[in-house]
Amino acid sequence: MSLKCGIVGLPNVGKSTLFNCISSGKAQSANFPFCTIEPNLGSTNVPDRRLDTLVEICHPKSVVPATVDIVDIAGLVKGASHGEGLGNQFLANIRECDAILHVLRCFDDGNVVHVDGSVDPVRDKEVVDLELQIKDLEVVNARLAKVEKAGKMGGDKDAKKLAELLLRYKAALEQGKSCRSVELVNEEEEALARDLFLLTNKPVMYVCNVDDASAVNGNKYVDAVREAVKDEQAEILIISAKTEAEIAEMDDYDDRQMFLEEMGLQESGVVRLIQGAYHLLGLQTFFTAGADECRAWTIRKGDKAPKAAGVIHTDFERGFIRAEVIKYEDYVQYRTEAAVRAAGKMGIEGKDYVVQDGDIMHFLFNV
């Protein structure tokens, strides 16, 4: 399963600096609006100490961590929904992402220009929200006209259900609320919502880009953001893109850890951001481990064993028979699959087994 996160925000809030820290790409970073025009694409490994431990135990020939694709999207300005700035291109790029990392400028620096002349992250957030909401409202109205006609003319029950959902989205958007504020009542509505690809229905993490001194506890700007989003289904991450850029230049692990300790941080902001994105999307990891390969696989929380098998290969899901499951803690304790089996700690699970985060799995199938 591939995960794509889009970094968005107004121009000059630190998007490209952050992108360079968390991805293998190298975006241009400069002090002028629309420095980023075409979306920058990169990827990064998902930090997971459990995979490191499995590698120490198995000494495999190859190691494959889970990865996240990162898209640095051009800065948005007022009127983007009507084509201002790089509007339509910006909005199209967001539509392709699974989650939004909304970077907000929460630092003062006279040397870095702000498109609106002053630092106000709540105002900046509202600018982006409004543009996305306007675009979603256009989509909802257009789709609503079609499905209402289909429901009336053909008595299509599915069209009626979709129309009911669209009307709730329309009401929320007209009140200045994002689509994710609309509560979905069942899995059927969740499926309908996914198929609409609405911009403000995507999960969002607000990334407060602060100065070095505020990297641990935040500042008045972060407090204002917290208050503004307290009723949203969103997460907040405090990060200093400038500090993260310095960490990214350090090759030695011990030097990085010493630097973090001096800053009063246990982990880098990049690690917290990627882990936060996983949590935001309701994702988790299972592993396959052995002498040939140790690998991390990404699935959604609640996925059952056949679905997890299908992430490895569609034949595994289609011909699923059973799964052999070892809990991560047991594998670390007993060190080998044979020892786990001898201790009676290997589970034999069928199609209804709900995979747990950290499970080490082997699938039996027949096609």
Side-chain angles (χ1 to χ4, degrees):
M1 175 186 293
S2 61
L3 167 65
K4 181 183 286 187
C5 294
I7 301 178
V8 307
L10 297 186
N12 288 357
V13 296
K15 300 186 307 299
S16 294
T17 300
L18 184 61
F19 171 83
N20 287 337
C21 295
I22 63 179
S23 78
S24 57
K26 290 296 179 184
Q28 183 183 9
S29 178
N31 183 23
F32 57 87
F34 305 117
C35 170
T36 302
I37 298 177
E38 293 296 326
N40 293 299
L41 304 177
S43 64
T44 187
N45 295 337
V46 177
D48 198 320
R49 293 173 182 172
R50 296 172 300 182
L51 181 61
D52 298 335
T53 300
L54 292 175
V55 170
E56 292 174 3
I57 294 171
C58 297
H59 304 290
K61 296 176 183 176
S62 67
V63 181
V64 184
T67 60
V68 176
D69 293 331
I70 304 295
V71 187
D72 175 28
I73 300 170
L76 178 146
V77 294
K78 291 179 183 178
S81 57
H82 301 296
E84 293 295 324
L86 302 169
N88 291 328
Q89 181 177 339
F90 173 97
L91 297 166
N93 291 330
I94 294 177
R95 201 175 298 280
E96 298 173 0
C97 296
D98 300 302
I100 295 173
L101 307 177
H102 187 164
V103 182
L104 298 169
R105 176 173 170 175
C106 294
F107 65 89
D108 292 307
D109 188 339
N111 294 319
V112 180
V113 298
H114 191 290
V115 290
D116 286 329
S118 62
V119 178
D120 186 341
V122 174
R123 176 202 60 208
D124 295 351
K125 168 195 173 305
E126 290 172 349
V127 168
V128 174
D129 284 351
L130 179 60
E131 297 303 325
L132 300 185
Q133 289 164 6
I134 291 171
K135 201 65 181 179
D136 274 352
L137 188 57
E138 291 177 7
V139 172
V140 167
N141 282 334
R143 190 67 183 274
L144 191 56
K146 291 182 180 179
V147 297
E148 282 185 327
K149 184 177 180 180
K152 290 176 181 177
M153 293 181 62
D156 188 333
K157 292 182 179 179
D158 291 335
K160 289 181 180 179
K161 291 177 182 178
L162 179 55
E164 290 172 1
L165 178 59
L166 288 166
L167 285 170
R168 282 154 52 203
Y169 280 143
K170 177 181 172 69
L173 290 165
E174 288 178 342
Q175 294 172 34
K177 297 178 181 179
S178 294
C179 290
R180 57 182 166 270
S181 68
V182 174
E183 187 175 348
L184 303 176
V185 298
N186 52 41
E187 291 183 0
E188 185 178 12
E189 280 199 345
E190 291 173 2
L192 290 173
R194 281 195 296 271
D195 290 341
L196 292 171
F197 297 102
L198 296 171
L199 301 173
T200 64
N201 220 6
K202 296 180 183 295
V204 61
M205 176 187 291
Y206 294 106
V207 182
C208 296
N209 185 16
V210 300
D211 56 277
D212 291 354
S214 305
V216 177
N217 298 316
N219 53 30
K220 63 180 182 180
Y221 297 125
V222 176
D223 292 340
V225 173
R226 283 198 183 101
E227 179 64 23
V229 306
K230 64 182 181 182
D231 296 327
E232 291 189 28
Q233 298 176 19
E235 296 189 11
I236 292 178
L237 179 73
I238 302 171
I239 194 170
S240 169
K242 182 180 178 182
T243 298
E244 296 300 320
E246 294 178 28
I247 294 172
E249 294 297 324
M250 298 179 182
D251 295 324
D252 186 77
Y253 174 82
D254 292 333
D255 287 345
R256 291 198 301 271
Q257 291 304 116
M258 187 179 300
F259 184 85
L260 287 170
E261 289 175 7
E262 291 175 354
M263 293 287 297
L265 299 169
Q266 293 183 334
E267 289 184 308
S268 73
V270 167
V271 170
R272 290 183 286 118
L273 188 147
I274 298 302
Q275 292 173 341
Y278 253 51
H279 176 72
L280 187 68
L281 286 167
L283 302 177
Q284 64 182 15
T285 302
F286 77 91
F287 301 97
T288 50
D292 288 332
E293 180 185 83
C294 283
R295 183 162 184 164
W297 302 89
T298 300
I299 58 172
R300 297 193 182 280
K301 291 179 181 178
D303 280 353
K304 295 182 179 180
K307 188 77 171 180
V311 172
I312 297 176
H313 198 287
T314 53
D315 284 349
F316 285 23
E317 181 175 9
R318 185 160 55 91
F320 179 89
I321 299 173
R322 65 180 182 272
E324 297 177 342
V325 182
I326 303 173
K327 298 303 177 184
Y328 169 78
E329 294 77 11
D330 291 333
Y331 199 98
V332 172
Q333 179 180 351
Y334 293 101
R335 313 295 285 183
T336 68
E337 185 176 313
V340 170
R341 194 185 298 271
K345 294 292 185 178
M346 178 177 287
I348 305 300
E349 305 292 350
K351 293 182 178 180
D352 291 331
Y353 176 71
V354 178
V355 180
Q356 302 299 303
D357 187 46
D359 279 354
I360 298 162
M361 306 187 74
H362 175 68
F363 299 102
L364 283 78
F365 69 103
N366 183 27
V367 292

